[in-house]
Amino acid sequence: MHQATYPPTEHLVIVGNGMAGHRLVEALVGKPGRPSRITVIGEEPDPAYNRILLSPLLAGEMERDALTLRDANWYADQGIELILGERVSDIDRQVQRLTTDAGRTLAYDRLVLATGSSPARPPVPGLELPGVHVFRDLDDAEALIHYSQNPAGGRGGSAVVIGGGLLGLEAAEGLRKRGQGMRVSLLQRDDRLMNRQLDATAAGLLESELRERGLDIHTHAQLERLEAGADGRVGAVHLADGTRLAADCVVVAIGIVPNVALARRADLDVNRGIVVDETLTSADPAIHALGECCEFQGTTYGLVEPIWRQVEVLAAHLAGETVDGYVEQPSATKLKVSGVSLYAFGPIDPDPEHEVLAYHDPEQGDYRRLLLRNGRLEGAVLYGDTASGPWYFEQALAGVDLGPCRAALLLGATDAQALLDESNESPHCPAKEAA
């Protein structure tokens, strides 16, 4: 437990109006000890929006306005100063003042860096060519939407998406759905899609589904270079095995890199991310970091679930409340592609001590694989019917001994929970004997 010993912050400045920074603001406004003055600075011109919904926006399943979390009027109603379209260029820690690229200066009592991340870029020739995109913010989504409606190559165009993880799959499927007659190829350097979350069977089901939809998928794809076309724009992608793919649009979606340049210039402790302690406090006690730009005990972040837990801790800390420090917990993965349901958590590859339970119905496209150690669930991969995913995850987090319901585990949460309840009521459990 950590008790804040300083008085409630007089002026809190939050650098970053993304999902993490905005979530912090919403958490603070409901607290009695909220800072008396809050200023939010966002580099993008738009108020905070739900970045998770960029994929359905690209796919044409959602309108842009639906992504906005709160409009500028909400900030004003809460007594919060919102500054958009400016980037913080310098932090003077000695006098606790920051400067933006517009020449604005602001003094702060406490500062939160929620600067997010940037797309990672592979070190290959041709990446600077016109027609090469990333997929990270509203402007990126709008650029891809414009391309899909006006392909440079005409007749639907040819797009290549680099990256077979969550973001790459969402970008590729979004382009396929948005573009009429567009040929979309997806490159994955590993042997299977989503190799960090899915085993070979689930990845194979996913690949088959996406191929049936029309995606051209290349695994074991080692990117060599991008080739310029006659017009100077990107015209093709070359792989190390000699494959050449025509492409008038390339999307790089291989991961993210924490935005730490501002923190480095301020001489804060930075590894991959801005190093923070269990209260999200940096090496400077007046400066905190949150979300994708921070690093805690060697871990950096790309999923919202742990970031929301960070927000709870930091909001309580800034409001002067007694707070439990942030601790790492497992997170579950879901894919945001319409018509594809998957849910996964924990280790992908079983070790010799794991008990593996699996169910596969190829005709229905359902697959479940559970990894147990001494009766306790450590990992799960679900494809197709994922309704029981949250229940599995809850049992794994709680470390529940699932031995009494082992025989029903693959049948789903309802049957398994019924056996667990029965075993708790009676010391004699027939299911345990049957297992």
Side-chain angles (χ1 to χ4, degrees), residues 204-411:
L205 289 168
L206 175 61
E207 181 174 339
S208 295
E209 167 65 25
L210 295 177
R211 284 187 184 277
E212 288 178 7
R213 295 184 179 193
L215 284 182
D216 177 30
I217 298 174
H218 299 256
T219 55
H220 295 289
Q222 299 297 321
L223 185 64
E224 185 174 80
R225 65 185 176 90
L226 275 58
E227 171 191 328
D231 57 359
R233 296 173 54 85
V234 67
V237 171
H238 289 261
L239 305 183
D241 65 1
T243 301
R244 179 185 183 275
L245 299 171
D248 46 71
C249 172
V250 172
V251 182
V252 180
I254 62 171
I256 57 175
V257 178
N259 287 331
V260 297
L262 178 63
R264 278 209 172 97
R265 288 197 297 272
D267 202 26
L268 293 173
D269 189 4
V270 174
N271 290 328
R272 285 183 301 161
I274 304 166
V275 177
V276 296
D277 65 14
E278 65 273 15
T279 62
L280 288 304
T281 305
S282 75
D284 184 328
I287 301 179
H288 310 269
L290 175 72
E292 292 176 346
C293 68
C294 81
E295 177 179 329
F296 175 70
Q297 295 182 350
T299 299
T300 54
Y301 304 91
L303 299 175
V304 298
E305 188 177 326
I307 296 173
W308 289 174
R309 296 199 305 270
Q310 292 176 2
V311 167
E312 293 176 6
V313 171
L314 183 53
H317 188 65
L318 291 171
E321 301 172 359
T322 301
V323 58
D324 289 328
Y326 175 78
V327 294
E328 281 299 311
Q329 294 182 14
S331 296
T333 297
K334 304 171 190 176
L335 179 64
K336 298 176 292 296
V337 169
S338 177
V340 175
S341 295
L342 63 83
Y343 190 100
F345 64 85
I348 304 306
D349 299 314
D351 64 35
E353 295 182 357
H354 275 131
E355 178 184 10
V356 181
L357 302 181
Y359 166 81
H360 187 191
D361 183 346
E363 290 187 4
Q364 296 297 321
D366 284 339
Y367 174 69
R368 278 159 249 161
R369 193 210 64 181
L370 309 178
L371 299 182
L372 293 94
R373 189 189 305 274
N374 299 322
R376 289 169 170 79
L377 186 60
E378 291 191 347
V381 175
L382 284 73
Y383 186 94
D385 182 359
T386 61
S388 296
W391 185 86
Y392 289 134
F393 189 51
E394 181 182 343
Q395 307 314 304
L397 288 179
V400 175
D401 182 358
L402 298 174
C405 65
R406 178 189 174 281
L409 270 178
L410 289 174
L411 300 179

Side-chain angles (χ1 to χ4, degrees), residues 180-197:
Q180 298 298 317
M182 181 187 301
R183 178 180 176 85
V184 182
S185 299
L186 177 69
L187 308 183
Q188 166 67 324
R189 64 180 179 181
D190 206 89
D191 64 340
R192 63 184 187 267
L193 300 176
M194 293 184 63
N195 58 293
R196 295 183 180 180
Q197 295 88 15

Side-chain angles (χ1 to χ4, degrees), residues 53-101:
L53 298 179
L54 288 174
S55 299
L57 174 67
L58 173 59
E61 301 166 352
M62 187 170 289
E63 296 299 323
R64 176 169 175 156
D65 290 347
L67 275 65
T68 302
L69 294 170
R70 300 283 189 177
D71 60 23
N73 291 332
W74 179 85
Y75 290 83
D77 291 342
Q78 304 300 322
I80 297 168
E81 181 183 15
L82 179 63
I83 301 170
L84 297 177
E86 293 188 29
R87 178 177 53 84
V88 175
S89 55
D90 181 67
I91 299 171
D92 188 332
R93 290 167 49 196
Q94 299 302 314
V95 297
Q96 297 190 184
R97 183 177 61 227
L98 57 81
T99 305
T100 75
D101 58 356

